[in-house]
Amino acid sequence: MPYLIRRLVSFLPCLLVILLVGGTQTTAQAKGFKAKSCLDCHEDLQDLAKDRQSHAPFREENCDSCHRRHGIIGKLLLKSPGNNLCMECHEDMIPALEAEHTHAPIKDLGCTGCHSPHGSGFPNLLAAENEESCFKCHAPEPFQRKVVHKPLKNDGCFVCHTAHGSEYAGLLSQPLEGLCQSCHDDPAELASSHKKIEFPLSNCTSCHDPHSSQEKKLLHRVQHQPVVDMDCSSCHEFADDGQFKLTD
């Protein structure tokens, strides 16, 4: 068989595929075929996509910024696993996730433990508004007793805590004493409210509840009697080096 004929014969299968595909497209176009968006099938998400608090890529119907296209066999696939996908846009969150203390839901469940990937109807894609989202995990009672710490009452949890990660225990935004002193910064007032005790004030939460209490001044309900009487010298004294220590 001449060379030219052999080449034509070998090309026939490809030509047949091209003609079939072209014919299918022509038929589809003749029938008025119109490409569908993701929301045409995922109707349960249509109202959420219109919410101004919804995730921006979802609201803009840019679904493939996070998802791979389904293809012939329908299977929902994310472009990257877990938190890695979120960090492709939210790079500023990476240091918090690598901090010494990371919020448990992030470690155990990932970003979607607190945030909805599409929308929730609340700011920041949270499951509820402000501290109500914290109460999805944390029982509210310890934070809503008779006397509530003013920063918590007025500004919510994040005035003292970070939401994702921190270098300090309890996800505090700074070391405990420094955090308390950022508001309680008048030494004369502190001395007066503590009956002018001569010992340095530290470890505030050993006497005060940082969230709420049934007692005035956010004091713990059960306290050591010398503490109640502010009689620190019955147990403590200054050492020769000026440090605070227990009496011998």
Side-chain angles (χ1 to χ4, degrees), residues 196-217:
K196 297 185 178 180
I197 58 174
E198 60 185 71
F199 299 104
L201 299 175
S202 63
N203 194 17
C204 307
T205 55
S206 64
C207 295
H208 302 278
D209 191 299
H211 300 113
S212 73
S213 173
Q214 292 299 118
E215 310 298 323
K216 62 181 182 179
K217 303 294 184 182

Side-chain angles (χ1 to χ4, degrees), residues 110-158:
C111 302
T112 55
C114 293
H115 302 280
S116 167
H118 297 114
S120 64
F122 298 102
N124 300 313
L125 307 177
L126 292 171
E129 193 164 8
N130 298 329
E131 66 271 9
E132 290 298 322
S133 63
C134 303
F135 295 153
K136 295 294 182 180
C137 293
H138 300 277
E141 291 78 14
F143 307 91
Q144 298 175 345
R145 290 180 287 228
K146 182 179 178 180
V147 180
V148 179
H149 197 190
K150 187 177 292 185
L152 173 61
K153 183 177 181 179
N154 294 343
D155 302 308
C157 306
F158 302 126

Side-chain angles (χ1 to χ4, degrees), residues 70-74:
H70 297 345
I72 297 173
I73 301 175

Side-chain angles (χ1 to χ4, degrees), residues 199 232-238 244-248:
F199 299 104
C232 303
S233 59
S234 64
C235 298
H236 298 278
E237 64 182 3
F238 280 113
F244 202 38
K245 70 167 190 172
L246 289 170
T247 55
D248 296 330

